[in-house]
Amino acid sequence: MKNTDRKKIALLSSRNPKSEAVSKELWNKLKDANFIMTPKNPDIVISIGGDGMLLSAFHKYENILDKVRFVGVHTGHLGFYTDYRNFEIDELVENLKLDTGAKVSYPILNVKIRMIDGRVVTARALNEATIKRLSKTMVADIHINGVPFERFRGDGIAVSTPTGSTAYNKSLGGAVLHPTIEALQIAEVASLNNRVYRTLGSSIVVPKKDKIIIDPQHDDRYSIAIDNRTFVYDNIEQIDYQIDNHKINFVATPRHTSFWNRVKDAFIGEVE
Ligand code: NAP
Ligand code: MN
C-alpha cells in the first residue's frame, strides 16, 4: 500500500476499564494492519463505549462530517449507532481492510439559536435539541413552516432526528422513525392542557422542507440540551430547527444491522 492510500483512523474511547482495554487492543491491531492511527483529520472515527460515546465522537468531528465516516463499537449491549460488539473487533479490522469507502448516511439536526442582540449560535445535533425553561412553566410559540401553530405551556420541547427518535423522544411518547425518512419530530415535555391552555398533545413529524421555529417568552433563562451537552442562555429571541445540509456517515459494513433489529433488540428482546 502506498503511503497516500493508507487510511487515517482516530480511536475514541469512553473512560472505563473495559472500553480502554478494547481500545488498546484495537489500536494495536489496526496499526499492524498498516492504518495510520491519528486523531487529526481522520478518514474513519471509531468510538468505543456506547451510543453516548458515539455522540461525543460526532461532536468532536462535526466540522468535518463530509470527510469522515464513523464506526461504533459497543462494550455493553448492541446500541443504535454501534455495529460491533467488543468481542468482534477482529471482524471489524478485517472489514476495514476490505473497505471500499461505502457509507450509510443519516440526517442530523441544525439548530440556530437567535439572541435578542442579533447574535446567532449554530449547533448540530445527532439525537435531539431540547429546550426547557429553568424556572416556572415554559411558554413558547411554535411555528411550523410559517404557520403560528400553538402556544405551548409546559416543561419543554424536544426536536429529534430520525436516529434520535429512539432516545429521549421515545421516552416522551414520540414515534420511532426509520432513519431513511428525512424528517424531524417535535415532542412535548409535560405540556399543560386544560380549559385555558391547549397544545396538540401528540408528537409531530415534520418533513425536511418545513422549518420549525420555537419562540420562547423573552427575559428568562433557558437550557438547551444538544445531545449529551447542555447550554444555558438568558437572551433568546427564537430558535430555528431544520435538517442540516450535512449528514453523518457510517462505514457501511456487512455487519450494519437492520434498524428494526436494533429497535427490537433494545426495547423488546426475544419473542417466544
Ligand atoms: P445518558 O443519560 O448517560 O444515557 C442515555 C441513554 O440513552 C443511554 O442508555 C444511551 O445509550 C441511550 N441512547 C443514546 N442515544 C440513543 C439513541 N439514538 N437511541 C436509543 N438510545 C440512545 O446520556 P448520554 O449517554 O450522554 O446520551 C445523551 C442522550 O440521552 C440524549 O441525546 C437524550 O436522547 C438521552 N436522554 C434521555 C432521557 C430520557 O429518556 N428520559 C433524558 C435525557 C436524555 P448507551 O448506554 O449506549 O450510551
Ligand atoms: Mn422571540
Side-chain angles (χ1 to χ4, degrees), residues 131-256:
I131 178 169
K132 289 179 179 169
R133 186 174 175 178
L134 289 188
S135 64
K136 299 199 289 185
T137 306
M138 180 170 104
V139 182
D141 291 322
I142 302 184
H143 303 255
I144 307 174
N145 202 28
V147 175
F149 190 75
E150 64 184 13
R151 175 156 294 174
F152 175 91
R153 285 180 177 79
D155 284 359
I157 297 162
V159 178
S160 307
T161 64
T163 52
S165 70
T166 49
Y168 193 26
N169 170 75
K170 187 172 182 298
S171 304
L172 297 172
V176 169
L177 221 64
H178 193 279
T180 52
I181 300 170
E182 289 197 279
L184 295 175
Q185 187 166 178
I186 307 172
E188 301 180 343
V189 187
S191 62
L192 259 162
N193 268 291
N194 52 37
R195 276 200 264 185
V196 185
Y197 303 136
R198 188 124 309 279
T199 63
L200 187 66
S202 57
S203 79
I204 308 174
V205 176
V206 179
K208 185 177 182 178
K209 68 168 185 55
D210 289 2
K211 190 199 265 184
I212 300 162
I213 293 174
I214 295 181
D215 188 345
Q217 246 177 18
H218 297 174
D219 303 326
D220 205 356
R221 309 185 81 198
Y222 294 88
S223 70
I224 297 186
I226 306 281
D227 297 336
N228 49 5
R229 294 177 306 172
T230 302
F231 308 89
V232 173
Y233 298 99
D234 52 16
N235 52 356
I236 296 178
E237 168 63 50
Q238 67 172 58
I239 307 167
D240 302 355
Y241 303 79
Q242 259 186 316
I243 289 184
D244 200 79
N245 295 330
H246 306 275
K247 289 187 158 191
I248 182 169
N249 304 310
F250 286 85
V251 172
T253 70
R255 282 210 44 95
H256 200 80

Side-chain angles (χ1 to χ4, degrees), residues 96-161:
L96 287 175
K97 282 199 238 168
L98 300 171
D99 171 50
T100 55
K103 60 192 181 186
V104 178
S105 308
Y106 299 136
I108 57 171
L109 167 65
N110 180 290
V111 182
K112 286 198 168 59
I113 306 164
R114 298 185 188 278
M115 306 301 177
I116 288 165
D117 63 12
R119 278 185 312 128
V120 180
V121 177
T122 302
R124 293 193 181 100
L126 179 54
N127 271 351
E128 78 286 289
T130 306
I131 178 169
K132 289 179 179 169
R133 186 174 175 178
L134 289 188
S135 64
K136 299 199 289 185
T137 306
M138 180 170 104
V139 182
D141 291 322
I142 302 184
H143 303 255
I144 307 174
N145 202 28
V147 175
F149 190 75
E150 64 184 13
R151 175 156 294 174
F152 175 91
R153 285 180 177 79
D155 284 359
I157 297 162
V159 178
S160 307
T161 64

